[in-house]
Every structure is written in C-alpha cells, then in structure tokens.
Amino acid sequence: MAMNAPSPVVSAPPPPIEAPRAPWQKTPPFHRQAYAAIDLGTNNCRLLIARPSGDHFMVIDAFSRVVRLGEGLAQSGRLSDAAMDRALGALHVCADKLRKRGVHLARSVATEACRRATNGEEFIERVHRETGIRLNIITAEEEARLAVLGCHILLEPGCGPAMIFDIGGGSTEMVLVDTSDAVPRILDWQSVPWGVVSLTESIGPIELTPEARAAAYTEMRGRITEGFARFAERVTPARETAAVEGGLRLLGTSGTVTTLASLHLGLPQYDRSAVDGLIVPTASMREISQRLAHISPAERVAVPCIGRERADLVVAGCAILESIFDIWPAERLGIADRGIREGILRSLMAAGGLGDRRAAETAQGKGVLQGKGERA
C-alpha cells in the first residue's frame, strides 16, 4: 500500500464546525477558542478539548473510556448491540463536554471497527441521531497521517528516515517519514487489519498451559510478520540508509507502548508525565513482551499498569511490537502518549489560525458535531 508520491503530513486539514452564536456575541479571539477531537477506535473512545497556546495547545478537558466497539467483529463482521451501546454511552459524555466547553471547531473520527463492520454506516447514523455527533469514518491512510501529525515532535533528533507506528485495537499502521524539514514527509506506509482486539479474537481462546501460550504467541507474531512482509521489503533500503546516517529512529504511539514503558519504569500506576516522550531500550521492551506473553492471565491481571482491563489484550500488543522491532531494529524506542486526537487538533488549529474558513471547508474529512448547540 505504498503511497504514489511523498506528501506532507498536514496536506489536508479537515473542515471545521462553528457553534451558532447569538447576534450580540462576538467570535472569541483565536487564542481563546476551544477546539475538540474525538477518536472512536476499536477499543477506546477518546476526546480532547484544547485552546491554542503559541505553536502548541493547552488541554482544557479530556475523556477516555474503554468501549470495545470491535468486540466480536472478527467472528460476525458486525458491531454488536452491546458494543454499540457502550460506545454511545461514551459519546453522550463527549457531546455534553463539547457543549459545556463551547467548542468552536471540532472533528470526530471513527477507525478500523467502523471501516470493517457491515453495519458501520448504520451505527454512524445512529450516533448522529442520538448524540448530535457526526462521525467521519476515515481511511487507514488518513489514520496514519493524523497519528504522525500528532506525535512526530517526539522523534529523536537525527538524520535519515525514521519509523512511526500506531498499534490500535483493530489495525496497526507503520509509517516511514523523512524528517529533513520541520514537517515530516510520509515516504511509505502500511496498515494491516491486526490490532490488539482483532488479533486476540482471531486466535481465539488459549488453553491455560505454557505450551499453548507459547504457540499462540508464535501464531500472532507470524500473522503480523506476514501482514507487513511487503512493507518490510520496501523499506529495506531506507533502513540501510538510516543505519549509515546515524542510527535507526523509532517512535510508537499506543496503549501497548505506554503500558510496557510503565513496566520498564516500574511505576505502581500509570503516569502520563513520566511516559510521554520517554526513550527506552528496545531490548527492555522485548524482555517485558516475552515475560507477559508467557505468564498466565491471572498473573497479568496482577501486574501494575495492566490490570483486568488490558490483561487479555496486552499479549497481542506485545506480538505486534516485537514484529515491528524485527522490521525496524532500532536500539531505542520513543514512547508517545498522543496521536490521532492531537493530529486532529493541530489540523483544526492550523485552519482556524489562518482565518480562512473556505480553505478549511474544502479540505478532506467531514467529521463534526451537529445538533443542539452546534452546526456544521
């Protein structure tokens, strides 16, 4: 799935939405306007609301809930009623926050679960009817682009191409970028329909024996390796170039890498300030991955920063991570607790800061909040 031509990460900012205002109200100045991004993934529903702050932004509200929208999708090809209800509950919370914060511009996206489900579009319409949120099902390419835009500033300085990856619930993206300019150019990318949820469900129940756990982990590794085989072949010249020009640089954004980084630090509970932007040895991440893959589910539940919520999915994340290390064998891994939401916010603020609403309206994507208190 190579791109036909290199393209800037910020080539297509999405269109904004502006809240209706009473005749006597004025649009607040740019630095006081609130912007919002919703990312409905296969496993999580996340919201971020922020205001511009210089070249960056200041978060004023956030929300995250595990909804497991893609639960059972691998077997049925459909979003289940229970999964949709969980997601809708989280989106109602998001809609309330958007209204209370007086959001000026917003974009809401859905990813792999809604792309794959035969009733994905039907669910999108239901979300709009019941919450006022208009979700945009984005392509895998747009998902990769937004993830890069949201986290690339955490890449280690260096020369030559670098690799950024995003392990999601329903898919995993690897993106090769050129960082010679301030804004990275995407050189090549690949998305495979294996994330922590879809890969776990594809393997099915695993017997409670060490041999069965080892076999399942090997099977997971094999599926990821096969999925990225053509991409791995394509990026071989870039890998060799990067090795010569100063070493391989690798940056990951996902619950998998932040969880494993927490274990690397020995944190008793997750601490974003300690993890976001951390650089860890890949050898340590491999060792942690191997350990988690071979202990029992009950033992994983007892591990700090994993718990019951992640215990059944973290092994698939470890398998994906180790396979990525095989493709891009960097000595260090950058950890990003940021991604699609931050990429959306940067796109929205870039469009809003230019003051050119028409340019934003003709750009890609149409995910917005509509309904009471908001309009497209």
Side-chain angles (χ1 to χ4, degrees):
M1 295 175 64
M3 300 178 69
N4 293 330
S7 52
V9 174
V10 294
S11 62
I17 176 159
E18 185 173 350
R21 300 182 180 277
W24 61 86
Q25 289 180 306
K26 294 182 179 179
T27 300
F30 176 65
H31 69 279
R32 289 177 52 198
Q33 293 171 3
Y35 296 77
I38 296 175
D39 171 19
L40 179 62
T42 303
N43 197 46
N44 292 279
C45 176
R46 299 184 177 97
L47 164 71
L48 207 58
I49 303 176
R51 288 194 180 100
S53 178
D55 294 333
H56 304 287
F57 55 79
M58 178 180 66
V59 175
I60 59 175
D61 206 344
F63 172 76
S64 180
R65 180 181 293 178
V66 174
V67 296
R68 299 210 175 191
L69 181 60
E71 186 175 62
L73 178 61
Q75 289 76 34
S76 68
R78 294 176 55 83
L79 303 176
S80 71
D81 290 340
M84 289 189 289
D85 288 343
R86 289 193 298 266
L88 276 163
L91 289 167
H92 276 294
V93 175
C94 293
D96 288 341
K97 287 180 174 291
L98 290 173
R99 295 182 182 108
K100 288 176 182 177
R101 292 291 183 176
V103 169
H104 176 66
L105 303 176
R107 189 187 184 196
S108 308
V109 303
T111 55
E112 184 68 14
C114 289
R115 284 198 296 262
R116 294 182 60 190
T118 57
N119 59 340
E121 291 287 354
E122 178 183 332
F123 173 65
I124 295 299
E125 290 303 316
R126 180 184 172 191
V127 168
H128 184 220
R129 287 195 309 271
E130 297 187 18
T131 71
I133 293 174
R134 172 67 75 181
L135 287 166
N136 171 220
I137 303 177
I138 58 174
T139 65
E141 178 180 355
E142 177 69 359
E143 185 176 354
R145 196 181 298 275
L146 288 170
V148 170
L149 180 58
C151 72
H152 73 86
I153 60 173
L154 296 181
L155 268 170
E156 287 189 274
C159 300
M163 188 70 71
I164 297 176
F165 65 89
D166 181 5
I167 302 173
S171 66
T172 296
E173 287 73 42
M174 293 187 69
V175 189
L176 183 69
V177 297
D178 173 9
T179 60
S180 56
D181 296 325
V183 177
R185 284 189 307 118
I186 294 179
L187 301 173
D188 199 352
W189 69 283
Q190 179 75 52
S191 176
V192 297
W194 299 121
V196 295
V197 175
S198 56
L199 186 58
T200 299
E201 292 193 349
S202 73
I203 295 298
I206 301 170
E207 293 181 15
L208 296 177
T209 66
E211 295 78 15
R213 288 195 288 271
Y217 193 67
T218 298
E219 176 65 18
M220 289 180 182
R221 289 285 311 275
R223 294 188 185 190
I224 298 301
T225 299
E226 181 182 1
F228 279 119
R230 293 177 61 184
F231 178 76
E233 183 179 351
R234 293 199 307 268
V235 301
T236 296
R239 184 176 64 235
E240 294 172 349
T241 297
V244 170
E245 293 188 358
L248 302 180
R249 292 177 292 155
L250 183 64
L251 176 66
T253 171
S254 70
T256 296
V257 296
T258 56
T259 298
L260 269 59
S262 299
L263 300 184
H264 169 78
L265 293 175
L267 299 179
Q269 59 188 19
Y270 184 69
D271 182 356
R272 183 182 188 276
S273 64
V275 170
D276 187 48
L278 183 69
I279 305 295
V280 300
T282 53
S284 174
M285 300 294 268
R286 278 193 185 271
E287 187 277 326
I288 295 170
S289 295
Q290 287 287 324
R291 176 160 52 90
L292 292 176
H294 292 89
I295 63 177
S296 70
E299 290 172 315
R300 288 197 299 273
V301 169
V303 175
C305 302
I306 293 181
R308 193 168 304 279
E309 206 169 61
R310 292 185 179 274
D312 61 334
L313 302 179
V314 70
V315 173
C318 291
I320 296 169
L321 184 62
E322 284 211 80
S323 298
I324 290 171
F325 289 159
D326 291 343
I327 296 169
W328 198 259
E331 294 183 359
R332 298 181 301 277
L333 170 66
I335 308 296
D337 186 354
R338 59 183 77 187
I340 291 175
R341 292 177 304 167
E342 288 79 5
I344 290 171
L345 287 174
R346 291 185 183 281
S347 295
L348 288 174
M349 290 179 187
L354 289 173
D356 188 348
R357 185 173 175 82
R358 289 173 301 172
E361 288 173 345
T362 58
Q364 287 182 349
K366 297 181 180 178
V368 294
L369 172 74
Q370 293 183 329
K372 184 178 179 181
E374 302 288 342
R375 64 179 175 83

